[in-house]
Structures are given as structure tokens and as C-alpha cells.
Amino acid sequence: MLGVVGIVISLLLLMYLAYRGITVLILAPVLALLAASFSGDIPLLAGYTEVFMEAFAGYAKAFFPLFLLGAIFGKIMDDSGAAKSIALFITGKLGSDKGILAVVLSCAILTYGGVSLFVVAFAVFPIAAALFREADIPKRLIPASIALGAFTFTMTALPGSPQIQNAIPMPYFGTTAFAAPILGLIGGAMMFSLGMVWLGFRARKAVAKGEGYGDHKEEDVKALDKASLPGIIPAALPIVIVIILNFLLIKFVFDDMEAAYLADYGTTLSRVKGLWSIIVSLSVSIVVSVILYWKYFEDVKGSLNKGAIGSLLAIANTASEVGYGNVIKALAAFAMVKAAILAIPGTPLLSIAASTSILAGITGSASGGMSIALAALGDVYMQKAAAVGINPEAFHRIAAMACGGMDTLPHNGAVITLLGICGLTHRDSYADIGVVTVLIPLVATGVAIVFALFGVL
């Protein structure tokens, strides 16, 4: 029992201290060893070097290419102005009277095309501020509008998304980014439609009370020179390439490959083809982007280098959380926690959704929470899938959608960054962010579980 107390204390400290701004690079190993000290069944130094770092290295080996290529692609789309060009095109077509929809769709298209969430927030905010100011929509709704488009359905639900949250389940379940497409479309449609209904309701309520954009004299939103940006076709082409090439590689190339040699590396084609397709798709899109946007860069080499360097902290943070989870998993006390999770009544789909969402909430990270849950229980869920006849694709999609629920509690790094970009506070905007990124995704995940029980994929 003392070991379970240690695990609970460790998790609570992880959540609290992460919220206070201490990096997970420090917190994860220290708090993992704190939990181990309560349990007393793992030597602390061995727990660090042979369990924590082993898991850290394994995660980095599996997913570093996606973090690296995604960060480079996002930096290229940002520095070239292509991301802004897409956002301006969409907002221009829809008009300022549909400012919320324009912002949500701009963010959704960029993130579904592989641009990182942080790049999207930086790229879209100036356009959102201009739109909301012109339509006299309260500025406090901008963060929720960006979050709905970037942090929800395109990140976790829509089939084919190259975001890391949709890639993490692939090696555990032998699936691809297009796993359970109908479930994903159902969940994605719910997140988008309910989110738009909520934001529309909030905007109308504000207008009825006479609240407008607000007085934000400190705001420094510079006008964009459209002539200095790529046209919409070259701006959108790399995103189209990521989506289409990813699909073609999975369906028509890797499925027909002779890959018996992978047994020599201790893996199978089904475990790696999803990762391979995203790696190739992003690589091709990066090359195409550099060629198309060459004249728009101030420093191509600088953009590539900054993107690559920027990926290091992201992968290290998530790998640290995976290392933390594996130390917890190795403790004898975890058997009690595991039993409690697996004893959740009903379908194991509910169990995986609950464990993933809770851990994402504790860590303040969708990818981190899901990585911990799958590292600890992924093999168990695969066994359950075979035992009860549930397609592994359903586990992939439910886990991905569930990680995008409680991850955006107030201590989440992306939420804090987004509010900083917008120049707003939690008091100003978090209530709406919470509805569209926590409450609604949890409801959508629940509905997707019901459909999955009827065999919908």
C-alpha cells in the first residue's frame, strides 16, 4: 500500500510542479525515483539508468524522426509566410462576419497538414485579432477558437493526421495514421460542430450584453503584406502532399512490400509502416516547400536549423514522461494500480480511454499521457483486443481521442503558450478553452466508444 501512496504523491507533484514551471526533464526522473523509494523494490540508480533511460532512448528511437521533420516543416511554413497565406485566404473567403469559423478552419487545415500546434498559434493570431476586431467579437474568444482548430479534432480524431498524437499508438497496435477512419470522422465532427455551437453561443451572448472586442491598446498586431507571401496554391501544395502521399504509401506501397528482413531487427512491417509513411511524406513536403518558397526566406539554412533544434526539447520532454511511466510500471505497487484500471467495468475501450485521459491530465501532455498509458498497458490491451474480438484500430483511435481531453487542463504548456501569444490570462479565456478542448472531446470520445462497440471503424 505504501508503494501506491508513493505513486499517487509522485503524480500529484508532477502535475503541481509542472504547473509551477519546472521542466519535466528534471521532474520526470526525480519523481519517478521518489515513487520507487516508497516502493523499495527497485535500486534507485539502476531504476534511473536501466529503466528510465532505457525507455527514454526507446521512445526517442521510435519517434524522433517525426518530431524532427514536423518541427522543420512547421518552421518552413512559418518563416516562408505560407501558413499566414493559407489563413488569409480562408478568412478572406469567409469574411469577418464569420471570424470564428475562419480562425477554426485556418488552424484545422494547418494542423491536419502537419504544421505544429505552436506554429499555428503564432501564425494565426495576428489574423484572428484583425478579424475579431473588425467584427467586434470579444478578443477573449480568440484562444478558444485557435484551440478548437488546432488542439482537438485535427490532432487526435481525423484519420491520416500526421500529428504525433495520432502516431504514438501505431507501433503498439500495428496500425496506421488512418486507423478507424469512420470513428475518427464521427468524433471529429462532434468536436468541431459542438465547439462551433459553443463559441457561437458565447459570441452572441457577449454581443447581447454590449461587449465588443475590448480595449487592448497594448496589442501590437502588424499589418501583413500579402504581396510578400506565397500564393495560395504553392502555400497549400506541401500540405496536400503530406495528406495524399501518406495515404498512398500506406495503401499502395508499404502494404505490398516484401519485408521479411524486418524480423532481423525484431519488428514487423505492420508495426513500422505507419511511421515510415509519415516520415517519407513529411520529408518530401519539406523538399518541395524549400523549392517553392526559396525566394520568401530570409535564411533557409537558419529556418532548417531552428526547426531541427526546436524539435529536441519536444522529444526530450515526451521521452522523459515515457521514462517516468516505465519506472512506475516496473514497481510492484503498480500491479494494484493496473488492476484497478483494468477493473473499470464495461468494455476495455473505456479503460484505455480513462487511463489515457487521466494520465494526459496529470502530465499536462496529450502525447506524454498516452505514451505512459500505452507503455504500461499497450500489450495488455492488444491481448484484450484478441480475446474479446475488438479491432486494434478501435483502440488506436479511442486512445488518440482520449489523450486530447484532459491534457488541456490549466497547467498544460500549450494552453499557457497560447494565452501568452494572445496576451490574455486564464481568467480571461480558460473557461471557453476548457469547454472546447476538455469537455467536448471527452463527450466525443464517449460517443466514439459506443459506435466502436457496434463494430464501427
Side-chain angles (χ1 to χ4, degrees):
M1 188 61 186
L2 184 61
V4 175
V5 172
I7 292 173
V8 172
I9 291 174
S10 173
L11 287 170
L12 291 175
L13 284 173
L14 179 62
M15 179 169 61
Y16 174 73
L17 295 175
Y19 178 68
R20 301 297 297 177
I22 300 177
T23 174
V24 74
L25 296 176
I26 297 172
L27 290 178
V30 169
L31 294 178
L33 297 182
L34 173 66
S37 69
F38 274 80
S39 185
D41 52 356
I42 293 182
L44 296 188
L45 288 177
Y48 178 62
T49 60
E50 305 307 313
V51 181
F52 183 94
M53 289 308 303
E54 181 88 10
F56 182 105
Y59 185 88
K61 176 251 182 192
F63 294 110
F64 178 65
L66 300 190
F67 279 87
L68 174 68
L69 295 170
I72 291 174
F73 182 56
K75 190 63 177 172
I76 288 173
M77 293 292 288
D78 188 21
D79 287 358
S80 66
K84 291 185 176 66
S85 180
I86 292 170
L88 282 171
F89 177 80
I90 294 170
T91 56
K93 291 296 182 182
L94 292 177
S96 62
D97 60 319
K98 295 183 176 63
I100 293 176
L101 177 61
V103 170
V104 172
L105 290 180
S106 298
C107 294
I109 289 171
L110 289 169
T111 50
Y112 189 57
V115 181
S116 75
L117 314 181
F118 297 102
V119 169
V120 170
F122 276 107
V124 173
F125 169 68
I127 300 162
L131 275 175
F132 277 48
R133 185 185 291 277
E134 182 179 347
D136 208 25
I137 301 170
K139 182 185 178 183
R140 60 183 174 83
L141 294 179
I142 291 179
S145 301
I146 292 175
L148 175 60
F151 297 180
T152 61
F153 59 98
T154 53
M155 184 179 84
T156 63
L158 293 190
S161 173
Q163 297 294 335
I164 190 65
Q165 292 80 5
N166 190 38
I168 288 171
M170 294 192 296
Y172 293 100
F173 300 123
T175 50
T176 72
F178 291 90
I182 298 176
L183 279 183
L185 290 172
I186 291 171
M190 284 196 65
M191 293 181 204
F192 171 73
S193 58
L194 292 178
M196 287 301 304
V197 168
W198 174 258
L199 292 175
F201 163 74
R202 294 285 282 169
R204 289 191 299 273
K205 187 176 179 181
V207 170
K209 291 168 59 178
E211 179 186 358
Y213 183 79
D215 184 16
H216 299 280
K217 294 179 180 178
E218 78 288 352
E219 191 172 87
D220 181 23
V221 179
K222 298 178 181 178
L224 292 172
D225 180 10
K226 295 183 181 180
S228 66
L229 302 176
I232 184 57
I233 293 178
L237 184 59
I239 287 178
V240 174
I241 289 174
V242 170
I243 298 168
I244 294 179
L245 185 57
N246 186 15
F247 177 80
L248 293 177
L249 288 171
I250 289 173
K251 296 297 182 182
F252 302 107
V253 178
F254 291 136
D255 261 355
D256 297 327
M257 281 182 60
E258 172 54 48
Y261 67 90
L262 287 174
D264 297 336
Y265 299 92
T267 190
T268 62
L269 182 61
S270 65
R271 290 180 63 87
V272 299
K273 68 178 182 180
L275 294 171
W276 285 2
S277 64
I278 297 177
I279 289 170
V280 174
S281 300
L282 284 172
S283 298
V284 170
S285 291
I286 287 170
V287 173
V288 171
S289 299
V290 170
I291 295 171
L292 286 175
Y293 310 146
W294 186 268
K295 67 179 182 179
Y296 298 100
F297 287 107
E298 291 184 7
D299 179 9
V300 175
K301 181 178 69 176
S303 295
L304 294 172
N305 288 343
K306 288 177 182 176
I309 293 170
S311 70
L312 297 178
L313 182 58
I315 183 71
N317 280 338
T318 308
S320 292
E321 289 165 343
V322 173
Y324 170 88
N326 273 266
V327 172
I328 301 298
K329 173 186 174 182
L331 302 178
F334 182 72
M336 298 175 63
V337 177
K338 180 178 177 180
I341 293 172
L342 296 176
I344 293 174
T347 171
L349 291 172
L350 182 60
S351 172
I352 194 173
S355 59
T356 300
S357 191
I358 290 169
L359 286 167
I362 290 170
T363 60
S365 167
S367 56
M370 179 163 51
S371 296
I372 292 173
L374 295 184
L377 298 168
D379 55 342
V380 177
Y381 287 120
M382 274 300 286
Q383 294 168 13
K384 282 184 170 290
V388 301
I390 297 176
N391 192 308
E393 289 194 19
F395 279 109
H396 172 130
R397 187 54 54 205
I398 296 302
M401 290 175 60
C403 84
M406 291 175 65
D407 65 312
T408 43
L409 293 177
H411 63 291
N412 173 262
V415 169
I416 294 169
T417 300
L418 174 60
L419 290 171
I421 292 169
C422 297
L424 295 165
T425 66
H426 282 78
R427 183 186 295 274
D428 295 325
S429 299
Y430 184 75
D432 295 299
I433 294 175
V435 170
V436 301
T437 68
V438 178
L439 181 60
I440 290 174
L442 288 176
V443 171
T445 301
V447 171
I449 290 174
V450 173
F451 276 93
L453 293 177
F454 287 96
V456 175
L457 290 175

